[in-house]
Amino acid sequence: MVGAISRMRTLRGRLALVRNGFGAAALPADVKSLVLSCAHKINEGHMGPRKFWRQFMPRLKYHNPDVHMDVIRTQLKGGPATLTISFEGDRKEVIDVQHKHENDIVKQLLEVTGGKQLPIDDRDSVLANEYLAEKLRKEQAEVTKLARRAAKKEEERLNVGTV
């Protein structure tokens, strides 16, 4: 079981990543909802919308809790990928996000809504960098462990064949 201190350190870093970074923006009060519609699979230009959903929508939701955000994933391969922005007074804007990079989707969203990118907090930046460094260290340790295990199995296989 993971210790409480280790878990808190990890969660602090993950929360710092949500609070800061590109896409952490304050949307105007007249924005009521965001609806992202994309395919379940990433084929035919649906990688950008999927990454937008996984990386940037949590940041937007953290800073804009009043804005309703929804993701509609269809089982159809391909098809249109759209981001629908609803404003007060039944005004809607639809952005075609198919074949677009997730950063371009954020830029276009901020242009259409008039949202403002929030400044990065230095303390959160340090926490996020520590979290990412620890995550990288753990991934490298796992790769090393798997390489050692594979080398040991290969050595045992070769020794069994010579005996």
Side-chain angles (χ1 to χ4, degrees):
M1 192 165 174
V2 178
I5 293 173
S6 175
R7 180 124 175 96
M8 282 305 298
R9 187 175 296 127
T10 300
L11 290 175
R12 251 185 4 188
R14 289 182 67 186
L15 183 59
L17 284 175
V18 170
R19 280 194 301 246
N20 288 300
F22 183 68
L27 299 177
D30 66 335
V31 176
K32 292 299 170 198
S33 71
L34 299 175
V35 179
L36 178 67
S37 175
C38 62
H40 195 70
K41 302 281 184 179
I42 61 172
N43 302 343
E44 299 180 25
H46 290 262
M47 174 67 92
R50 181 186 169 111
K51 284 190 170 186
F52 172 79
W53 164 49
R54 303 295 275 169
Q55 292 177 0
F56 297 110
M57 281 186 96
R59 287 181 184 156
L60 288 167
K61 186 63 176 175
Y62 180 85
H63 293 289
N64 304 286
D66 298 340
V67 177
H68 178 74
M69 296 186 190
D70 211 3
V71 178
I72 301 170
R73 297 176 68 195
T74 61
Q75 293 295 328
L76 301 173
K77 278 191 175 181
T82 59
L83 178 62
T84 306
I85 307 159
S86 299
F87 296 91
E88 284 182 352
D90 294 334
R91 187 178 129 224
K92 289 187 178 185
E93 293 281 337
V94 178
I95 301 172
D96 179 25
V97 294
Q98 190 170 5
H99 298 289
K100 289 191 179 171
H101 193 270
E102 59 272 13
N103 292 344
D104 296 334
I105 297 170
V106 172
K107 288 177 189 173
Q108 197 167 4
L109 171 68
L110 295 179
E111 284 176 14
V112 170
T113 61
K116 303 291 182 212
Q117 179 72 32
L118 297 174
I120 295 175
D121 183 12
D122 293 335
R123 187 168 155 231
D124 280 343
S125 179
V126 170
L127 288 173
N129 288 336
E130 288 174 0
Y131 167 73
L132 292 173
E134 181 66 18
K135 185 176 176 184
L136 180 63
R137 187 194 63 76
K138 286 179 181 178
E139 288 172 358
Q140 289 172 341
E142 184 67 23
V143 168
T144 303
K145 182 174 98 176
L146 292 175
R148 282 189 197 137
R149 186 179 296 160
K152 184 178 178 183
K153 282 188 177 186
E154 182 65 20
E155 183 180 325
E156 289 173 358
R157 187 185 66 81
L158 292 174
N159 287 340
V160 169
T162 59
V163 174

